[in-house]
Amino acid sequence: MAVVSFVYADWAAAYPELATFTTEGAAMGLFGRACLLLDNTDASPSPYNPPAVTERLTLLYLLVAHLAALANPARAGLSGRVSNATQGTVTVALELSPSSGRAYYNQTSYGLEYWEATAKYRMFRPYVGPQPFFQPRYVRPR
């Protein structure tokens, strides 16, 4: 397998609504942060073997989109999920959940899509290691 390289033009074409306020330098920084959340090495559980298998590329681009949406200047100073909003005299209520697990990714549609796409990697798979070999000592009958 290979390592994913970030190409801003490809990411911007996939997420044009985010590219309007995310510069190439900022997106590269967000890609570095995304690699902290999803392993971008050969040891990663998500496969990447271009051109046939590009799952890790898609997942990392989703993470960059999630981080870019969270860093949107329109959300400046706001953190958490919007739980209530009104329009007359503008009111916004945010709900801040613990920053681990599903609640973190539920803050944006990109994060939610990433969370659902990586569910198969969070399944418990029991592993039975090597079993000790026990051979009782032979005792000769009398």
Side-chain angles (χ1 to χ4, degrees), residues 12 14 20 39-40 65 76 79 85 91 119 131:
T20 57
D39 187 15
N40 189 18
S79 181
T91 305
Q131 300 297 312

Side-chain angles (χ1 to χ4, degrees), residues 2 20 27 35 39 49 84 89 95 104 110 127 141:
T20 57
C35 289
D39 187 15
N49 191 9
N84 189 17
T89 66
E95 176 183 310
Y104 173 71
Y110 313 105
Y127 172 75

Side-chain angles (χ1 to χ4, degrees), residues 26-137:
M28 289 293 289
L30 294 175
F31 181 75
R33 289 176 51 198
C35 289
L36 295 174
L37 299 172
L38 176 66
D39 187 15
N40 189 18
T41 65
D42 287 339
S44 177
S46 60
Y48 181 67
N49 191 9
V53 181
T54 58
E55 181 179 338
R56 192 179 331 143
L57 173 78
T58 303
L59 292 174
L60 283 169
Y61 279 18
L62 274 171
L63 275 175
V64 172
H66 172 67
L67 295 170
L70 290 177
N72 183 346
R75 288 181 59 122
L78 302 177
S79 181
R81 185 182 69 83
V82 176
S83 60
N84 189 17
T86 57
Q87 221 170 11
T89 66
V90 186
T91 305
V92 175
L94 299 172
E95 176 183 310
L96 186 59
S97 301
S99 63
S100 64
R102 185 180 185 113
Y104 173 71
Y105 295 103
N106 275 350
Q107 295 181 67
T108 68
S109 60
Y110 313 105
L112 184 58
E113 186 177 348
Y114 169 82
W115 184 259
E116 294 300 324
T118 56
K120 60 186 172 186
Y121 301 120
R122 290 188 303 278
M123 299 293 182
F124 175 71
R125 295 184 197 121
Y127 172 75
V128 179
Q131 300 297 312
F133 179 72
F134 177 71
Q135 183 177 6
R137 206 168 59 182

